């Protein structure tokens, strides 16, 4: 991975304003490019000491089972964490910069952008190689822009049914037509040239857009946009065209062992190109300590990462307390055992335990399936039903009971730290059980003698609430049972493994669920697309299609970040509240605990994992 100092990249907010102000004269200024090209991070003279040291083993934990490691097919946070370090993207994020800053990864500098904002020219670094694999027949395989073009096309292959289609749909000249042709013929023509991907040479790609896309560099930093080799896919693909069990990338780590749902072992890629740890401090006072410990080291320092899947909260904490794990995410349910007023308890501080704490750029929503025959639909009585439930739910009570206060209630669907957030927005959905009951009475949801309601057609009214099988899932079910009881609606709890929930959700088979979304990239578009009708079966988990919303979303896609787009987002949010297909919930604190031997760790708001940037003290 290439990571440059903060003045060599662009913060997300600066990126938007820069595009907006200078679009008509846009080739990135010579001074910026000069700085970027001078800091590619490749230095043959870098010291080899401790580089990818096999004795430096980082042990960490996933709280749910992974699903696989194909960038185009993976959609959950934890699988994508592994994808992020095995594969590489054209762009990534600076480790320490705040707000998040886009920097080149395999790209040789930031892109050249045409005056109309519709053409991006991207240079690729030379001498980047995929890890050795039988698919390459014993030859060294260099990364070229053809690999990115192939990987981008894979996202649009109907056979693959990727949930990441929305990243490129309606954006690249000729790409949608190629996908439409594949739907007719049953086969995607990966060799077909399209106007949107102009390959100048094997290190230069020119992308032609159907319209300006102000988020393209951020989108290209997302795990799904990683480069995969065509030979690997053709050798290992399953019947759906996926390579979940055979990830071969150019990144700093490679898959060494995989026991599904139990253990993942990654070894450092010792052929990884020389890259030096060289970042500048943000406004965080702790950054200077990290810089002192890490500056000048060749990355990665860690030689092996061992991930154990431990489903139960208490078991995860026990593993950390017994020094069986070096890095551990503390969820709210365990907070009282470890934290006091948001800080580590003194006894843990004395042991040298470290904590990195942020509020995740996350939106957790409560959705009701809009295709459900009882709770879905846009009719007045169905809208009243969902709105009443939304009004009956006390978000702060849920935060207190389920997460021990380790979350913040949200009013707006774009969380703090993301471009487009409005900290002054107030939702029209307020906690008011009395008004909720009155609304149900008004629209014919009558209560029987037992206190439970029936639908206006006289049929019993019952909802199925789906959640995970762990202790947190059971607490969520208890809280929501209380909510439904308060308005006289029967609730049945449906406990399922995480992977099974994701599969059913994508097919619009769940009636209600608490659904968290972590930022793929730090722009409001990444959150407002969750409710866009065309994203059903992808990221639109509530399967909602509101024509007025969709029209406004399409308008917002044509605008840069700023007051005009913000106005559209406000209108879209009010529509969400009116129809109550979902209710905005909360964003959680992320408390990452590390053992004293872990050096240089800081939780990044966008990158899933930081294994590339940290070190282990073997003497502790």
């Amino acid at each position: 991975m290439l990571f440059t100092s903060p003045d060599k990249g662009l913060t997300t907010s600066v990126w938007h304003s820069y595009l907006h102000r200078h679009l008509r004269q846009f080739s990135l200024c010579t001074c910026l490019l000069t700085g970027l090209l001078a800091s590619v991070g490749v230095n043959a003279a870098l010291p080899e000491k401790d580089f990818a040291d096999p004795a430096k083993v980082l042990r960490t934990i996933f709280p749910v089972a992974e699903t696989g490691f194909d960038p185009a097919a993976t959609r959950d946070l934890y699988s994508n964490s592994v994808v992020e370090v095995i594969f590489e993207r054209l762009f990534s994020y600076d480790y320490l910069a705040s707000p998040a800053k886009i920097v080149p990864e395999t790209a040789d500098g930031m892109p050249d952008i045409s005056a109309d904002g519709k053409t991006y020219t991207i240079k690729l670094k030379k001498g980047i190689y995929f890890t050795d694999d039988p698919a390459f027949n014993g030859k060294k395989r260099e990364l070229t822009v053809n690999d990115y073009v192939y990987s981008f096309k894979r996202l649009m292959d109907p056979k693959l049914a990727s949930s990441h289609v929305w990243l490129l749909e309606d954006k690249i000249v000729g790409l949608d037509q190629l996908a439409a042709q594949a739907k007719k013929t049953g086969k995607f023509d990966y060799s077909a040239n399209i106007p949107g991907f102009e390959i100048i040479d094997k290190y230069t790609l020119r992308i032609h857009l159907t319209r300006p896309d102000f988020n393209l560099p951020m989108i290209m930093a997302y795990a799904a946009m990683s480069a995969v080799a065509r030979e690997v896919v053709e050798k290992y693909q399953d019947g759906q065209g996926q390579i979940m069990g055979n990830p071969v990338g150019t990144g700093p780590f490679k898959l060494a062992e995989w026991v599904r749902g139990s253990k993942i072992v990654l070894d450092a890629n010792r052929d990884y190109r020389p890259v030096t740890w060289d970042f500048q401090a943000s406004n965080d006072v702790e950054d200077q300590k990290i810089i002192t410990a890490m500056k000048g080291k060749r990355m990665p320092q860690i030689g092996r990462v061992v991930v154990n899947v431990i489903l139960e909260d208490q078991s995860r904490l026990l593993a950390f307390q017994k020094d069986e794990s070096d890095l551990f995410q503390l969820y709210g349910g365990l907070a009282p055992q470890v934290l006091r007023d948001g800080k580590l308890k003194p006894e843990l501080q004395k042991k040298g335990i470290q904590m990195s704490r942020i509020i995740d750029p996350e939106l957790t929503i409560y959705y009701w399936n809009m295709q459900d025959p009882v709770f879905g639909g846009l009719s007045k009585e169905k809208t009243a039903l969902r709105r009443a439930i939304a009004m009956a739910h006390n978000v702060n009570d849920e935060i207190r009971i389920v997460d021990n206060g380790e979350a913040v209630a949200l009013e707006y669907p774009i969380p703090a730290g993301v471009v487009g957030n409005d900290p002054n927005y107030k939702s029209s959905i307020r906690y008011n059980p009395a008004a909720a009951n009155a609304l149900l009475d008004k629209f014919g949801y009558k209560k029987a003698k037992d206190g439970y309601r029936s639908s206006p057609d006289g049929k019993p009214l019952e909802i199925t609430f789906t959640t995970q099988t762990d202790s947190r899932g059971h607490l969520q079910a208890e809280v929501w049972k209380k909510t439904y009881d308060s308005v006289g609606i029967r609730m049945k709890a449906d406990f399922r493994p995480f992977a099974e929930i994701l599969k059913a959700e994508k097919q619009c088979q769940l009636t209600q669920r608490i659904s968290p979304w972590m930022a793929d990239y730090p722009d409001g578009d990444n959150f407002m697309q969750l409710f866009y009708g065309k994203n059903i079966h992808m990221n639109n988990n509530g399967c909602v299609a509101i024509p007025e919303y969709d029209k406004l979303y399409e308008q917002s896609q044509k605008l840069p970040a700023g007051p005009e787009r913000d106005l559209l987002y406000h209108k879209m949010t009010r529509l969400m509240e009116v129809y109550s297909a979902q209710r905005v919930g909360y964003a959680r604190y992320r408390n990452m605990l590390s053992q004293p031997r872990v050096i240089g760790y800081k939780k990044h708001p966008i990158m899933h994992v930081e294994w590339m940037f940290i070190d282990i003290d073997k003497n502790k």
Side-chain angles (χ1 to χ4, degrees), residues 30 109 184 458 577:
T30 304
K184 292 180 181 179
E577 294 165 6

Side-chain angles (χ1 to χ4, degrees), residues 118-119 168 170-178 193-198 207-211:
K118 294 170 64 177
T119 302
L168 296 176
D170 298 328
K171 294 181 181 179
I172 310 295
V173 176
L175 185 57
D176 290 272
Q177 290 79 2
L178 189 62
N193 295 320
I194 61 169
F197 293 134
E198 182 185 355
I207 300 176
H208 299 279
L209 304 176
T210 58
R211 53 176 169 75

Side-chain angles (χ1 to χ4, degrees), residues 249-271:
T250 63
F253 292 94
K254 57 185 179 181
L255 185 64
E257 180 186 350
W258 182 24
V259 181
R260 290 175 184 266
S262 177
K263 184 178 181 180
I264 304 160
V265 179
L266 302 171
D267 282 345
N269 173 12
R270 293 197 60 82
D271 294 324

Side-chain angles (χ1 to χ4, degrees), residues 146-435:
N146 299 71
D147 296 308
Y148 282 103
V149 169
Y150 171 74
S151 302
F152 298 163
K153 287 179 177 178
R154 279 190 81 222
L155 298 182
M156 300 293 289
D157 189 338
K159 178 182 177 182
L160 197 67
S162 173
S163 61
H164 307 299
V165 169
W166 64 276
L167 293 168
L168 296 176
E169 193 173 40
D170 298 328
K171 294 181 181 179
I172 310 295
V173 176
L175 185 57
D176 290 272
Q177 290 79 2
L178 189 62
Q181 181 183 357
K183 288 182 180 179
K184 292 180 181 179
T185 63
K187 186 176 182 180
F188 197 99
D189 186 357
Y190 284 100
S191 299
N193 295 320
I194 61 169
F197 293 134
E198 182 185 355
I199 298 174
I200 308 301
D201 57 51
K202 66 178 184 177
Y203 304 112
T204 310
L205 174 63
R206 186 166 291 144
I207 300 176
H208 299 279
L209 304 176
T210 58
R211 53 176 169 75
D213 188 337
F214 303 97
N215 292 322
L216 191 62
M218 284 188 283
I219 288 172
M220 288 187 169
Y222 179 48
M225 303 294 280
S226 301
V228 299
R230 184 170 182 172
E231 302 97 307
V232 172
V233 175
E234 292 179 348
K235 181 175 179 62
Y236 298 116
Q237 63 184 333
D238 60 17
Q240 199 175 341
Q242 299 179 357
I243 51 166
M244 289 297 219
N246 299 92
V248 179
T250 63
F253 292 94
K254 57 185 179 181
L255 185 64
E257 180 186 350
W258 182 24
V259 181
R260 290 175 184 266
S262 177
K263 184 178 181 180
I264 304 160
V265 179
L266 302 171
D267 282 345
N269 173 12
R270 293 197 60 82
D271 294 324
Y272 190 65
R273 62 191 180 279
V275 180
T276 307
W277 201 106
D278 186 17
F279 300 98
Q280 294 182 12
S282 69
N283 55 6
D284 186 340
V285 295
E286 296 295 317
D287 283 2
Q288 195 55 55
K289 295 179 183 178
I290 295 175
I291 291 170
T292 300
M294 294 298 300
K295 188 175 177 65
K297 293 182 178 181
R298 181 175 172 182
M299 300 185 288
Q301 286 285 296
I302 291 169
R304 170 166 282 199
V305 178
V306 178
V307 181
N308 287 299
V309 178
I310 303 178
L311 302 182
E312 283 300 323
D313 285 356
Q314 194 63 52
S315 298
R316 291 194 294 272
L317 179 57
L318 182 61
F320 185 80
Q321 290 172 330
K322 293 169 63 178
D323 199 14
E324 295 172 354
S325 173
D326 299 301
L327 192 60
F328 160 66
Q329 181 178 350
L330 177 75
Y331 284 91
L334 299 175
Q337 300 183 46
V338 177
L339 304 182
R340 183 176 299 156
D341 298 326
K343 296 181 180 180
L344 284 173
K345 289 184 174 180
E347 57 268 31
L348 293 174
Q349 295 183 36
K350 289 179 181 178
K351 293 179 180 180
I353 302 300
Q354 307 167 90
M355 181 173 74
S356 180
R357 175 179 167 94
I358 66 170
I359 297 177
D360 270 333
E362 173 194 52
L363 168 65
T364 293
I365 62 165
Y366 316 109
Y367 72 73
W368 294 271
N369 185 348
M370 289 294 280
Q371 295 183 5
D372 185 85
V374 177
F375 291 86
L378 300 178
S379 66
K380 290 182 179 179
E381 66 273 12
K382 299 295 181 63
T383 298
L385 173 60
R386 294 188 301 270
R387 189 175 181 89
I389 299 169
M391 293 165 61
H393 189 64
N394 190 326
V395 178
N396 287 311
D397 265 4
E398 180 180 337
I399 291 172
R400 177 178 54 82
I401 295 168
V402 178
D403 289 308
N404 282 299
E406 289 294 302
V408 292
L410 300 179
E411 300 276 343
Y412 199 56
I414 301 172
V418 174
V419 176
N421 168 256
D422 182 355
N424 299 315
Y425 183 91
K426 296 297 180 185
S427 172
S428 63
I429 304 292
R430 315 310 297 180
Y431 174 60
N432 192 333

Side-chain angles (χ1 to χ4, degrees), residues 354-358 590-593 601-604:
Q354 307 167 90
M355 181 173 74
S356 180
R357 175 179 167 94
I358 66 170
R590 183 174 292 246
N591 300 303
M592 297 298 300
L593 306 188
Y601 182 81
K602 180 181 181 179
K603 183 69 200 93
H604 192 276

